[in-house]
Amino acid sequence: MQQDKHPEYRPVVFRDRAAGYAFLTRSTATSDQVIEWDDGETYPVVDVEISSESHPFYTGKARTVDSEGRIAQFERRYGSTGDKPDDGNAS
């Protein structure tokens, strides 16, 4: 590695305020805020909007889409003829 070309790689706390979850890892992320961690040391803290604790993919709490309600809403908005389109094959 060339000196003075790479950012400092150090311990940083990432905090997900929505889930009330924080974890300590190493990163080049910077922050003006600091937090005192469980070990008594002070680390920079970066607030994130979503983490593995709050993301539906990781938690298994994904929203289910009401597909029937969406279809009914589409039909109310744009109408429904109920006819199948002609595929061009004459019998």
Side-chain angles (χ1 to χ4, degrees):
M1 281 182 18
Q2 295 180 356
Q3 298 300 322
D4 302 326
K5 287 206 173 197
H6 300 281
E8 183 182 356
Y9 188 65
R10 64 184 181 288
V12 176
V13 174
F14 286 90
R15 178 173 52 189
D16 182 352
R17 289 189 170 263
Y21 177 70
F23 58 94
L24 178 65
T25 187
R26 295 183 55 82
S27 176
T28 59
T30 60
S31 176
D32 295 333
Q33 298 177 344
V34 293
I35 190 172
E36 186 173 333
W37 195 243
D38 299 335
D39 61 3
E41 295 289 324
T42 303
Y43 299 106
V45 62
V46 177
D47 290 323
V48 293
E49 293 182 19
I50 198 161
S51 70
S52 61
E53 281 294 307
S54 61
H55 193 279
F57 178 78
Y58 296 108
T59 61
K61 297 177 184 173
R63 294 184 313 177
T64 56
V65 176
D66 179 17
S67 61
E68 187 171 339
R70 288 189 173 229
I71 293 169
Q73 180 182 9
F74 179 85
E75 289 176 349
R76 279 193 310 271
R77 181 177 292 168
Y78 299 107
S80 172
T81 61
D83 297 332
K84 293 184 179 179
D86 185 17
D87 61 359
N89 294 333
S91 299

